[in-house]
Amino acid sequence: MLALQRASALLVLFLSAFVPPPRCAQDPGMVHYIYQRFQVLEQRLQICAQATRAYIQDFREFSKNISVMLGQCHTYTSEYKSAVNNLALRVERAQREIDYLEYLREADMCVESEDKTLAEKLLQEAEEEKKIQTLLNASCDNMLIGIKSLKIVKKTLDTDGSWMKDAASNSPKVYFLIGSRNNTVREFANMQALLEDSTKPGPRKLILPHSWQGTGQVVYKGFLFFHNQGTPNEIVKYNLQKRTVEDRMLLPGGAGRALVYQHSPSTYIDLAVDEHGLWAIHAGPGLHGHLVLTKIEPGTLGVEHSWDTPCSSQDAEAGFLLCGVLYVVYRSGGHGPHCITCVYDPRGTISEEDLPNLFFPRRPRSHSMIHYNARDKQLYAWNDGNQIIYKLQTKRKQPVK
């Protein structure tokens, strides 16, 4: 209070210095008015000081209450944490007991479960065998036992390429595909027209909407099937008569990621045709992986079945199918003789004891392609620009004992 009085007195003196000197009789009245106003101001300052002291007191009490509540909360937290830890120990103990009871129950069911699993496995294998037998049910029981002779039909300057006839048709037309990446198919009326290409009018040229990749193309039932260049695993079905793309498919199983044959540096998917229909051969995962054999339904381009074969892509140069059996041609280091050293039969009707030494007539380079024609019973091959026909020697399969 004393401080407020002193402040008021000082304020009066300070403001008095700015009051003009009295000039008339009303000056004492003005001073009295100003004094009254300062009294009112002093009263209000006193009220403000009282309110401030009250607020300070309330805040101190509030802080004290908060401190007490925080202490209680810390106590409750410790108690809650202890209760949770006890509960966790009880849950863990209960889980151990449940695991032990489950172990006892599984031990009682072990023999029954093993018998059931074995029965399911045997049933699955029987169904798989039945499916394969149904899939490969064509009346074909021949196996290859030798390559009798070769005939060089034509010679070109192109190292890589493929040529073929439609094995599922009586048409004499011959299809000529030059190079490992191209989109022009030459169609000859017959074999004689192919031989007289330089003296007669040229063949009919079919320009494909996409280029092929490699030399694994085939013609089957009036359609050209080829691996689409620029894609890892797309197979295109092209109608040779309508000159239109009929369908496409993506070959599964990691197809197209690696060369199918080590000595065929541009072929990633090798298509093949035999008495059972359309097939695809490609390399499995890994360096020089084993070959994967896939049966394709040519009408819908659906995958009917796939087999992982024991045949390696290392040192391989070509492969073909005959009566549902895969024959892979190898050339050690790219310089040795051409020989078939791996044969895979999905039906298991050929044993290794049945396999003779299957050698091809020696050629200076690896084959760019070798495809079997089921109607002619011959192999069509391309080797260093030479178009070759190999005549075969076969015999009836003997069932595995």
Side-chain angles (χ1 to χ4, degrees):
M1 180 63 69
L2 181 61
L4 290 174
Q5 291 177 352
R6 291 178 180 177
S8 299
L10 291 174
L11 184 60
V12 170
L13 292 176
F14 178 74
L15 295 176
S16 299
F18 295 94
V19 176
R23 296 181 181 180
C24 58
Q26 288 81 7
D27 288 346
M30 179 63 69
V31 172
H32 179 72
Y33 172 77
I34 293 172
Y35 181 75
Q36 288 180 342
R37 300 303 300 171
F38 273 111
Q39 284 182 336
V40 172
L41 178 63
E42 182 179 356
Q43 291 174 358
R44 292 183 177 178
L45 288 173
Q46 290 176 356
I47 294 173
C48 181
Q50 292 175 357
T52 301
R53 285 194 296 274
Y55 290 150
I56 292 173
Q57 183 63 29
D58 291 344
F59 182 76
R60 288 176 179 174
E61 293 179 358
F62 176 75
S63 299
K64 183 178 179 181
N65 293 334
I66 289 296
S67 299
V68 173
M69 294 175 67
L70 288 174
Q72 294 176 350
C73 182
H74 180 72
T75 302
Y76 293 152
T77 301
S78 300
E79 293 176 355
Y80 175 76
K81 184 176 180 181
S82 177
V84 170
N85 291 335
N86 292 334
L87 179 61
L89 292 175
R90 292 182 180 181
V91 170
E92 183 179 358
R93 189 180 303 112
Q95 185 64 45
R96 287 198 301 268
E97 293 177 356
I98 292 173
D99 292 341
Y100 178 70
L101 294 175
E102 184 69 19
Y103 169 76
L104 293 178
R105 187 180 69 85
E106 291 180 354
D108 294 337
M109 299 176 60
C110 182
V111 176
E112 180 182 354
S113 177
E114 289 181 355
D115 292 342
K116 183 178 179 181
T117 302
L118 180 59
E120 290 178 351
K121 183 178 180 181
L122 293 175
L123 179 61
Q124 183 178 1
E125 291 178 353
E127 291 178 352
E128 186 76 10
E129 181 67 22
K130 183 179 179 181
K131 180 180 178 181
I132 294 175
Q133 296 294 338
T134 303
L135 185 63
L136 306 179
N137 61 354
S139 57
C140 180
D141 56 358
N142 291 331
M143 61 175 289
L144 182 64
I145 60 172
I147 294 93
K148 293 195 297 186
S149 62
L150 68 84
K151 177 183 178 181
I152 298 178
V153 177
K154 189 178 178 65
K155 181 174 178 60
T156 65
L157 299 178
D158 302 284
T159 303
D160 297 321
S162 61
W163 70 298
M164 66 213 71
K165 295 167 69 176
D166 190 342
S169 169
N170 292 324
S171 172
K173 292 180 180 179
V174 180
Y175 298 92
F176 212 73
L177 292 80
I178 298 176
S180 58
R181 295 177 181 86
N182 204 340
N183 69 335
T184 302
V185 178
R186 291 168 172 80
E187 181 186 88
F188 293 90
N190 48 44
M191 192 69 72
Q192 189 64 28
L194 173 66
L195 297 176
E196 298 174 352
D197 182 25
S198 60
T199 59
K200 298 291 183 179
R204 185 175 75 139
K205 293 184 179 180
L206 306 176
I207 307 301
L208 305 178
H210 309 285
S211 296
W212 63 73
Q213 172 68 48
T215 57
Q217 309 83 19
V218 295
V219 175
Y220 186 61
K221 294 185 177 180
F223 296 94
L224 172 69
F225 298 86
F226 64 92
H227 177 198
N228 188 9
Q229 182 190 1
T231 67
N233 60 341
E234 184 179 71
I235 305 300
V236 177
K237 178 183 179 181
Y238 181 80
N239 192 315
L240 292 170
Q241 183 178 2
K242 297 180 181 179
R243 300 190 180 189
T244 57
V245 173
E246 194 81 7
D247 203 352
R248 305 166 187 262
M249 73 168 293
L250 297 178
L251 193 63
R257 297 179 182 175
L259 293 173
V260 60
Y261 310 118
Q262 182 184 359
H263 297 308
S264 184
S266 60
T267 303
Y268 291 83
I269 298 175
D270 189 19
L271 300 173
V273 172
D274 72 346
E275 292 82 357
H276 295 289
L278 181 63
W279 303 78
I281 310 167
H282 67 87
L287 183 65
H288 304 311
H290 288 184
L291 300 181
V292 177
L293 180 64
T294 301
K295 184 72 175 63
I296 301 174
E297 207 292 312
T300 62
L301 289 187
V303 173
E304 295 182 297
H305 204 282
S306 289
W307 296 267
D308 293 326
T309 77
C311 301
S312 173
S313 63
Q314 186 174 9
D315 285 330
E317 65 178 22
F320 60 91
L321 280 109
L322 187 155
C323 287
V325 179
L326 173 65
Y327 297 85
V328 184
V329 183
Y330 291 88
R331 195 181 190 197
S332 179
H335 304 288
H338 313 272
C339 60
I340 298 174
T341 57
C342 186
V343 177
Y344 177 72
D345 182 6
R347 299 176 63 183
T349 56
I350 297 180
S351 63
E352 293 190 3
E353 291 77 10
D354 298 326
L355 298 179
N357 293 322
L358 300 173
F359 288 93
F360 283 77
R362 189 175 182 86
R363 302 296 302 166
R365 296 174 62 92
S366 297
H367 289 87
S368 176
M369 57 80 66
I370 299 177
H371 282 170
Y372 172 68
N373 187 290
R375 183 161 56 90
D376 297 346
K377 309 298 182 184
Q378 299 178 135
L379 295 179
Y380 287 69
W382 190 299
N383 184 285
D384 196 23
N386 295 288
Q387 289 73 57
I388 302 172
I389 290 179
Y390 291 105
K391 294 186 178 182
L392 306 177
Q393 183 179 1
T394 61
K395 73 172 185 178
R396 294 177 62 88
K397 297 179 184 177
Q398 298 296 327
V400 179
K401 296 180 181 180

